[in-house]
Amino acid sequence: MVGTTATLHRSLCSNGSLYNCNVLEEKLDELRCLVGKTDGDPLRIVSVGAGAWGSVFAALLQDTYGQFREKVQIRIWRRPGKAVDRATAEHLFEVINSREDVLRRLIRRCAYLKYVEARLGDRTLFADEILKDGFCLNMIDTPLCPLKVVTNLQEAVWDADIVVNGLPSTETREVFEEIRNYWKERITMPIIISLSKGIEAALHPVPHIITPTQMINRATGVPIENILYLGGPNIASEIYHKEYANARICGAEKWRKALAKFLRQPHFIVWDNSDLVTHEVMGGLKNVYAIGAGMVAALTNESATSKSVYFAHCTSEMIFITHLLAEEPEKLAGPLLADTYVTLLKGRNAWYGQMLAKGELNRDMGDSITGKGMIQGVSAVGAFYELLSQSSLSVLHPDGSKPVAPAELCPLLKTLYKILITREKSTQDILQALRDETLNDPRDRIEIAQSHAFYRPSLLGQP
């Protein structure tokens, strides 16, 4: 036989190109070297949390690097015991039978029968069980590659070199506080890539934002230079279908440049940036206004005029808030608007706003929705409003009459807070906020922000 087994393996890799296989292996070897891995010791990557983006991220890595089994091990953790309801099982069965490649794969793995039984109601499937076959409970219509699923958190993370945080921000602190117990004996700290878009508000000693990377740092003691944020204007299912997309990985230079290269693919371009916290906060801010956009779309029967009026006012509020949070806000305008645009088009937060306005969901159902996962914008509405309503952050009212809290100059944020958090208002009131004849030209709000020394570094926990 001519050639080695390794050469033959590379020549038969999934993309059919020996050149591409060599390029991928070189990128993997570079990251392994930087992390300090030796021959025979695989790079261990684990995704914590199996929502849509966390599952897709793990599947992308598995599809790309899973062929190099001796050099990298890719796993995903999710909690056990989450049952798949009968309606979802029936839909899952339809998806399987509509895809010949998936059908053949399940038959080869002797896994098809359990989906037949679930369809008939003779068996209960569980979320961790179907994830092993490549089905994410929050994204049933997009079959993924089979994944190595671990349901024991300690087993998943104790020796991981790279941990991907795919958890909602509302669950990040709790899970990573548990993880801290498993890392007490570690000599070297892992690299953590957070995909989470959400924030919390803290009012003491001064009002400030807490982001998922900060939660992880405080919960685990992992140095902040080892924690990065990855975000961009993309929809998880479309990325897995190889729609062209881009993202930024933000954090310390030592890791972000190597990871950007490692994660970059022809259809998924990853850039790197040093501004970790601000990009992370912007990822949470767009979810706030996406909920309102969904409400407006539903209440006006998709009126292009109404949606554009809303867009003008919501973007002016976002620009206003960005000037409070960033020293150089103009650098964030493009990423923020792009992320906002894709979320308004197809994001779960806009969908949630639509369903509330149509009466197909109600606020008593909470913000974790079957088949969609956590609606991060709800908690973000509460956090941003609580922060920006603090008198210590007051700015001069446009008419020059008196100082007011920044939230008073953000009528959409204020209305969303009263709809979603205090429930003083109904979804219809979002239209009233738009139609208020006393509402200032959105340009005025932008000019106010640009013409004053608005920047409040304390909001991001900076001196």
Side-chain angles (χ1 to χ4, degrees):
M1 182 175 179
V2 180
T4 65
T5 302
T7 300
L8 178 62
H9 170 70
R10 288 196 298 269
S11 69
L12 296 175
C13 69
S14 60
N15 56 25
S17 166
L18 177 58
Y19 170 78
N20 285 339
C21 281
N22 285 336
V23 170
L24 291 174
E25 191 165 15
E26 287 172 6
K27 292 201 295 183
L28 176 57
D29 287 341
E30 285 180 23
L31 186 59
R32 282 173 49 82
C33 182
L34 187 61
V35 174
K37 305 302 287 187
T38 57
D39 290 346
D41 184 15
L43 180 71
R44 295 174 175 85
I45 303 174
V46 60
S47 181
V48 175
W53 189 203
S55 297
V56 163
F57 195 83
L60 286 173
L61 292 176
Q62 181 62 39
D63 281 338
T64 306
Y65 294 106
Q67 60 193 297
F68 307 110
R69 295 179 183 177
E70 295 181 358
K71 294 187 175 185
V72 65
Q73 177 191 85
I74 299 159
R75 299 182 293 179
I76 187 167
W77 171 83
R78 72 152 295 136
R79 293 183 179 88
K82 175 71 173 179
V84 178
D85 62 51
R86 175 76 180 276
T88 302
E90 291 175 351
H91 181 53
L92 180 55
F93 186 72
E94 293 172 0
V95 171
I96 291 168
N97 285 286
S98 69
R99 292 277 300 268
E100 184 177 338
D101 58 330
V102 176
L103 182 60
R104 290 184 180 279
R105 169 162 59 82
L106 291 176
I107 292 172
R108 283 197 306 270
R109 291 163 62 94
C110 300
Y112 181 64
L113 182 58
K114 67 185 179 186
Y115 293 99
V116 176
E117 293 174 341
R119 166 66 180 82
L120 297 172
D122 296 336
R123 175 175 180 159
T124 299
L125 295 171
F126 293 92
D128 56 290
E129 176 186 10
I130 67 172
L131 189 59
K132 294 176 183 177
D133 292 325
F135 301 108
C136 170
L137 189 58
N138 293 344
M139 198 174 52
I140 292 296
D141 290 310
T142 304
L144 309 173
C145 63
L147 293 170
K148 171 65 176 176
V149 180
V150 182
T151 56
N152 181 291
L153 185 58
Q154 181 175 7
E155 179 188 346
V157 304
W158 75 274
D159 62 349
D161 300 299
I162 298 175
V163 175
V164 179
N165 175 34
L167 297 162
S169 60
T170 49
E171 297 178 19
T172 293
R173 178 184 286 103
E174 176 187 354
V175 172
F176 277 88
E177 283 177 347
E178 182 178 349
I179 288 174
R180 174 184 58 196
N181 298 324
Y182 310 136
W183 285 350
K184 288 181 178 178
E185 306 301 321
R186 288 191 68 131
I187 298 173
T188 59
M189 287 291 102
I191 303 163
I192 299 172
I193 303 171
S194 181
L195 311 178
S196 182
K197 294 182 177 181
I199 69 160
E200 288 184 359
L203 303 181
H204 302 289
V206 294
H208 63 282
I209 288 169
I210 303 174
T211 67
T213 60
Q214 293 169 331
M215 295 176 200
I216 293 168
N217 167 249
R218 297 172 188 180
T220 63
V222 172
I224 198 67
E225 56 264 28
N226 275 38
I227 308 174
L228 303 100
Y229 165 72
L230 178 76
N234 30 65
I235 300 294
S237 61
E238 295 183 350
I239 292 177
Y240 197 71
H241 286 145
K242 300 190 184 302
E243 296 290 339
Y244 180 78
N246 55 64
R248 283 181 178 80
I249 189 161
C250 305
E253 183 173 349
K254 176 183 179 180
W255 299 119
R256 73 172 192 263
K257 290 190 176 297
L259 287 168
K261 184 176 181 180
F262 178 71
L263 297 172
R264 188 176 297 126
Q265 299 183 27
H267 68 282
F268 185 56
I269 305 303
V270 180
W271 301 307
D272 70 279
N273 191 282
S274 62
D275 196 347
L276 168 65
V277 173
T278 315
H279 276 84
E280 197 175 11
V281 171
M282 294 306 105
L285 181 59
K286 53 90 182 176
N287 286 334
V288 168
Y289 291 96
I291 296 178
M295 293 176 183
V296 170
L299 293 169
T300 64
N301 196 27
E302 300 289 343
S303 162
T305 300
S306 295
K307 289 193 290 186
S308 65
V309 170
Y310 178 85
F311 190 73
H313 284 283
C314 83
T315 51
S316 75
E317 289 191 17
M318 285 192 288
I319 291 168
F320 178 82
I321 293 169
T322 303
H323 277 72
L324 287 167
L325 298 173
E327 190 170 14
E328 298 179 299
E330 62 280 355
K331 292 184 178 180
L332 296 168
L336 176 58
L337 290 177
D339 209 354
T340 301
Y341 182 62
V342 76
T343 304
L344 300 191
L345 286 175
K346 203 174 180 179
R348 75 182 72 175
N349 288 279
W351 171 88
Y352 179 75
Q354 285 185 316
M355 295 300 103
L356 282 180
K358 290 179 178 179
E360 296 181 27
L361 292 176
N362 66 69
R363 288 165 289 186
D364 291 332
M365 296 171 70
D367 49 7
S368 182
I369 307 299
T370 301
K372 289 289 183 179
M374 182 63 67
I375 309 300
Q376 294 274 228
V378 177
S379 61
V381 166
F384 276 109
Y385 183 81
E386 287 168 16
L387 280 172
L388 299 181
S389 61
Q390 300 302 305
S391 59
S392 60
L393 301 172
S394 291
V395 298
L396 192 63
H397 193 276
D399 63 14
S401 61
K402 61 179 179 179
V404 294
E408 293 302 314
L409 301 182
C410 299
L412 295 183
L413 174 62
K414 187 175 182 179
T415 301
L416 287 167
Y417 181 80
K418 291 184 176 181
I419 293 171
L420 297 170
I421 307 301
T422 63
R423 304 188 185 183
E424 300 170 51
K425 295 190 173 185
S426 71
T427 55
Q428 288 281 347
D429 287 293
I430 196 72
L431 295 183
Q432 187 57 43
L434 282 182
R435 296 166 179 169
D436 186 348
E437 63 183 25
T438 66
L439 205 61
N440 291 330
D441 184 335
R443 177 183 171 183
D444 295 342
R445 188 178 295 105
I446 296 172
E447 288 182 349
I448 292 167
Q450 291 175 336
S451 61
H452 293 75
F454 261 42
Y455 176 46
R456 303 285 196 279
S458 60
L459 277 171
L460 297 184
Q462 299 169 8

